[in-house]
Amino acid sequence: MSWSSSDFGPSAEVFGKNGVLEEQKFPRFKKRETQVYVGNLPLDISEEEIRCLLKDFNPLHVHKIQNGCKCFAFVDVGSMQKVALAIQELNGKLFRKRKLYVNSNRSPKRTLDVTEWTQELLGLEKTSGQGFARTTACTQLVPKASVDPCKTEKPRTSIFAVPMEMRGSFLALLLRECFRDLGWLATIHSVGGDVGLLVTSIVPQTPFFWAMHVTETLHQNMQALFRALAEAEEQQPYLHDSAVRRGTRCLAEYQLGDYGWAWNRCWVLDRVDSWAVVTFIDFGQSATIPVQSLRSLDSDDFWTIPPLAQPFMLEKDIWSSCQVIHRILKGKITGALNLELHILKFEEFK
């Protein structure tokens, strides 16, 4: 079952210890040993082209996944030996001017250095003299008008629907189920003035995006949260197949650009066969990942720190490139959306 914009009734129950199973007892876990993950693929690549890319390893099955600006695939090559060979041969290889990320589909060890990441953000914040602000979304936008030397054209007004995952009704459900507290919605609209934003996710061809407003408090929250998750990851059991459903709080791996992979908080939006559609709470990013790769994260101790990112909207432009993700934008908050006061409008300094 999928959610619609009006489907925000009581969510599915949250599972505890009875809904999880240890990794070594999970009957479907070994199946992933013959799969290889291929990341940073071109958005227009076909599954047949992916087969050709791995033709030397005789791929048995290709499952391509595209989420916004990201495209990746899980490829079953039939044996662990071929997985190792594929990683050795293809990881880091340039394909259509893109550096491929190839690794085993088994959950790898955390490679993110949390201290390095947060300290670099703190340094960037001090250099710019500004903090990182949270993002906004809006329904109306005046894009830049094209220049025609023969005639003058008035700027047109474009209408954009606020993405479902940015709407107050959706966020209220998420906060109630994950954090047991709606206070975050009442405070995030207070950000104002000149700000800096660390962009974590965008909605292509719209003005909407998610970003972090970095302050000393946020740095402390990031370090406390990531360290707690890193320490707990090995102790958190993999979820049983029957426990993964809409509304489940869990733990999954998220890639922070060049900083590597780390286990992060997520919430199940939907379930399709052996795949789960999840949203990473702290990055405003959705992804489709194998059900068998999700770990339990039901303890309220992991949900005391509020989300690290919030939704924004560009005041006078739309997103045409994904290269802005994990970059800092300097600008000012110009207001909030009338019916969605938690969504702030942002104008970038040129």
Side-chain angles (χ1 to χ4, degrees), residues 274-285:
S274 61
W275 298 89
V277 181
V278 304
T279 182
F280 286 95
I281 304 295
D282 299 299
F283 299 93
Q285 177 70 53

Side-chain angles (χ1 to χ4, degrees), residues 56-74:
D56 293 340
F57 312 101
N58 299 318
L60 303 177
H61 178 73
V62 175
H63 186 88
K64 173 190 168 185
I65 301 172
Q66 184 173 332
N67 282 296
C69 296
K70 294 184 179 181
C71 181
F72 55 95
F74 294 99

Side-chain angles (χ1 to χ4, degrees), residues 296-324:
S296 171
L297 199 69
D298 193 51
S299 172
D300 287 339
D301 293 340
F302 296 107
W303 300 90
T304 57
I305 295 176
L308 302 181
Q310 71 181 78
F312 287 78
M313 168 207 131
L314 290 175
E315 176 75 28
K316 297 181 179 180
D317 211 341
I318 63 173
W319 295 113
S320 58
S321 171
C322 297
Q323 296 179 353
V324 71

Side-chain angles (χ1 to χ4, degrees), residues 172-219:
L173 175 62
L174 181 152
L175 292 170
R176 184 168 60 247
E177 288 296 317
C178 293
F179 299 90
R180 322 299 195 205
D181 182 9
L182 302 182
W184 182 70
L185 276 179
T187 60
I188 59 177
H189 72 277
S190 62
V191 177
D194 293 351
V195 296
L197 301 180
L198 173 63
V199 180
T200 59
S201 178
I202 70 169
V203 182
Q205 302 305 315
T206 78
F208 306 115
F209 66 109
W210 292 79
M212 294 182 184
H213 176 214
V214 177
T215 62
E216 288 289 349
T217 298
L218 183 61
H219 282 296

Side-chain angles (χ1 to χ4, degrees), residues 138-144 155-160 205-208 313-319 345-346:
C138 184
T139 55
Q140 291 189 339
L141 175 73
V142 181
K144 296 178 181 178
R156 295 173 298 172
T157 298
S158 299
I159 305 298
F160 295 91
Q205 302 305 315
T206 78
F208 306 115
M313 168 207 131
L314 290 175
E315 176 75 28
K316 297 181 179 180
D317 211 341
I318 63 173
W319 295 113
K345 294 180 283 187
F346 172 78

